[in-house]
């Protein structure tokens, strides 16, 4: 029983990272019905940028700077990759553009930081805490708290600020929002910036728990995309539940069966959801007037 509880705790920390990245997918899909398939690279760049800064100013001072960097990186992705495709009404242009930019970011990171994985110093003690017979790393607790705080902050921003309400209006009906005087183009750019900010933040959260390198974002980005599909691209609760399901499934499968099969449960669940409830477990099916 203690082993299962231990695996569950580790799975929760991993799942919350997936949820934060998947939350970024939601932000862009809501405003433009497009996705940044280089989202994993935004996480990777955030982690590596944080690694370069953390030795000069400390972990807590570094985080706001990495978040600003994430904002800027998101603007670049939207302006160079998404906006031209939307302007020409290219149905799949944004897909290839965001993938291409992700590859460019990955190659750039390899040339700056090298291809080897690097150790990210932990801001907290690496000695586990004993709780109900389970060993919990302080950094795992920070990951869960940080992920929840980030998602709540974005939700509060959307509900209380005038700019957040513009994002909500655009996500509800882009054409109507434009007629009401909202600059929907800027809103879409902002949603991409906010999406990359959350990914960069996730990068510096997860980096102390794993090795940091140019390839770290690829797998995390794909798994977070699975979480977004499983939970529903229009449900905040869905990405949290989907992230927890995937994280716990991976840790338990890796221990009880084999680490070589830890990715299988998530993929099986993804296939089942697509076959039975394509909108996701908590998603709403879109209704389009024709």
């Amino acid at each position: 029983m203690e082993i299962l509880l231990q695996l569950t705790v580790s799975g929760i920390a991993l799942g919350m990272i997936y949820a934060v990245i998947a939350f970024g997918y939601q932000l862009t899909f809501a405003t433009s019905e497009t996705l940044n398939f280089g989202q994993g690279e935004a996480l990777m760049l955030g982690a590596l940028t944080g690694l370069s800064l953390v030795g000069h100013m400390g972990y807590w001072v570094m985080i706001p700077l990495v978040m600003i960097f994430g904002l800027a990186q998101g603007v670049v992705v939207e302006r160079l990759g998404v906006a031209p495709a939307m302007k020409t009404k290219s149905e799949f242009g944004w897909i290839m553009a965001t993938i291409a930019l992700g590859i460019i970011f990955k190659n750039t990171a390899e040339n700056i930081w090298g291809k080897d994985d690097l150790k990210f110093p932990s801001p907290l003690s690496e000695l586990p805490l004993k709780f109900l017979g389970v060993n919990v790393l302080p950094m795992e607790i920070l990951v869960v708290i940080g992920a929840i705080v980030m998602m709540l902050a974005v939700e509060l921003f959307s509900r209380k600020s005038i700019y957040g309400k513009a994002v909500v209006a655009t996500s509800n009906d882009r054409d109507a929002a434009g007629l009401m005087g909202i600059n929907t183009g800027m809103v879409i750019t902002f949603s991409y910036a906010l999406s990359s900010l959350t990914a960069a933040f996730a990068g510096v959260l997860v980096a102390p728990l794993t090795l940091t390198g140019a390839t770290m974002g690829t797998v995390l980005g794909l798994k977070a995309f699975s979480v977004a599909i499983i939970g529903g691209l229009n449900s905040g609760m869905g990405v949290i539940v989907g992230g927890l399901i995937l994280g716990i499934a991976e840790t338990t499968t890796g221990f009880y069966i084999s680490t070589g099969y830890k990715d299988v449960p998530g993929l099986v669940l993804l296939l089942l959801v697509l076959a039975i409830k394509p909108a996701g477990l908590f998603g709403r099916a879109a209704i389009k007037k024709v």
Side-chain angles (χ1 to χ4, degrees):
M1 188 63 185
E2 283 189 4
I3 293 176
L4 180 58
L5 191 57
Q6 180 71 65
L7 294 170
T8 300
V9 169
S10 299
I12 288 173
L14 182 62
M16 290 307 294
I17 287 296
Y18 292 156
V20 172
I21 308 170
F23 189 61
Y25 284 120
Q26 277 192 345
L27 289 170
T28 59
F29 185 79
T31 56
S32 62
E33 294 187 349
T34 63
L35 299 167
N36 178 13
F37 285 103
Q39 185 79 341
E41 278 63 44
L43 176 143
M44 173 270 295
L45 287 175
L48 286 172
T49 301
L51 180 62
S52 296
L53 295 174
V54 72
H56 302 286
M57 60 187 66
Y59 185 84
W60 307 108
V61 179
M62 166 272 295
I63 289 179
L65 296 179
V66 169
M67 293 169 70
I68 293 171
F69 173 82
L71 277 173
Q73 192 259 349
V75 172
V76 170
V77 171
E78 197 279 333
R79 289 288 89 192
L80 294 182
V82 180
M86 293 186 67
K87 187 175 182 180
T88 59
K89 301 188 184 300
S90 173
E91 189 172 356
F92 301 109
W94 57 269
I95 297 177
M96 296 310 301
T98 55
I99 291 174
L101 284 169
I103 294 172
I104 291 171
F105 290 139
K106 178 176 173 290
N107 289 341
T108 301
E110 287 177 341
N111 282 289
I112 295 175
W113 287 280
K115 296 184 179 181
D116 296 331
D117 290 330
L118 306 168
K119 180 74 172 71
F120 197 109
S122 176
L124 303 176
S125 171
E126 296 188 75
L127 296 175
L129 303 173
K130 201 76 171 178
F131 182 72
L132 297 177
V134 177
N135 292 321
V136 183
L137 290 173
M139 200 64 210
E140 289 179 330
I141 299 173
L142 180 62
V143 162
V144 174
I145 294 174
I148 293 173
V149 168
M150 170 57 71
M151 289 187 281
L152 286 176
V154 173
E155 187 68 20
L156 187 64
F157 170 82
S158 298
R159 291 178 181 273
K160 299 297 183 181
S161 73
I162 187 67
Y163 301 105
K165 290 177 181 178
V167 172
V168 173
T170 303
S171 66
N172 288 334
D173 191 325
R174 195 192 317 163
D175 293 333
L179 292 173
M180 292 173 63
I182 296 173
N183 187 336
T184 55
M186 288 300 297
V187 169
I188 292 171
T189 301
F190 178 72
S191 71
Y192 265 82
L194 200 56
S195 171
S196 291
L197 179 151
T198 60
F201 179 71
V204 294
L205 279 183
V206 75
L209 292 173
T210 183
L211 293 175
T212 307
T215 59
M216 69 179 293
T218 304
V219 174
L220 287 171
L222 287 173
K223 289 183 177 180
F225 179 66
S226 297
V227 165
I229 298 300
I230 291 169
L233 274 168
N234 48 25
S235 171
M237 178 59 68
V239 296
I240 295 176
V241 174
L244 294 177
I245 290 173
L246 185 58
I248 295 171
E250 285 188 3
T251 54
T252 52
T253 302
F255 180 83
Y256 288 112
I257 301 177
S258 168
T259 54
Y261 290 99
K262 68 183 180 66
D263 296 329
V264 172
L267 295 174
V268 170
L269 180 59
L270 175 63
L271 293 174
L272 288 174
V273 169
L274 289 174
I276 299 171
K277 202 173 185 297
L281 295 176
F282 293 82
R284 302 183 303 274
I287 300 175
K288 293 186 177 181
K289 295 180 180 180
V290 295

